[in-house]
Amino acid sequence: MGITRDSRHKRAASGARRAHYRKKRKFELGRQPAMTKLDSTKRIHSVRTRGGNVKYRALRLDTGNFAWGSEHVTRKTRLLQVRYNATNNELLRTQTLVKSAVVDVDATPFRQWYEAHYAQPASRATKAAAAEGADEAKKSNHVQRVLAERKKDAKIDPLLEQQFRAGRLLAIITSRPGQSGRADGYILEGKELDFYWRKLQVRKQKHAA
């Protein structure tokens, strides 16, 4: 039996069983799930679909474009680990990439951008180290005024700062790796970061007990 996406096999709202008046149709077909794995050997298959269109089925991925919403910046970075999946713990165990999975991404591209943009380190620990070995490059008065203006808004959430020190940021995947062949998303911040941080702490305590 082929996989179908029809709703004719479902019961009606009243609970009545619907009559079978036709067989399966090509336009109702479904396919096997991609189960995209987090792996450094990138592999993407193209799938010919209805109308001659093409889907890109990612089988293995380890990079993606992630947006830092509050700073309006996007960088390509490495995916390090799948940390949480609301759907199924099996997808966490097998390190499967799906939409809405919470992952750890490499913080380096975002830290480099932050330090270049604001001319100051992204965390307090690196601030102290930078202050000791500060070797100021000459900057024009105009550049100094621009940086001074930027520094007024250079505030980082304490949880985000803690992650910068560890070198990895929590992010969420918003693309569909099995359909588009990409694992793109955004960095978690604010209340959303608090929510998932609490979830991860609870999980850690359960496994420690």
Side-chain angles (χ1 to χ4, degrees), residues 22 58 60 83 96 155:
R22 72 174 186 209
R60 295 192 290 268
R83 293 291 303 280
T96 304
K155 290 186 180 71

Side-chain angles (χ1 to χ4, degrees), residues 117 139-152:
H117 187 73
K139 295 186 177 76
S140 68
N141 289 337
H142 172 72
V143 169
Q144 286 176 14
R145 283 198 305 275
V146 168
L147 291 174
E149 198 62 34
R150 282 178 184 170
K151 282 179 184 179
K152 291 176 185 176

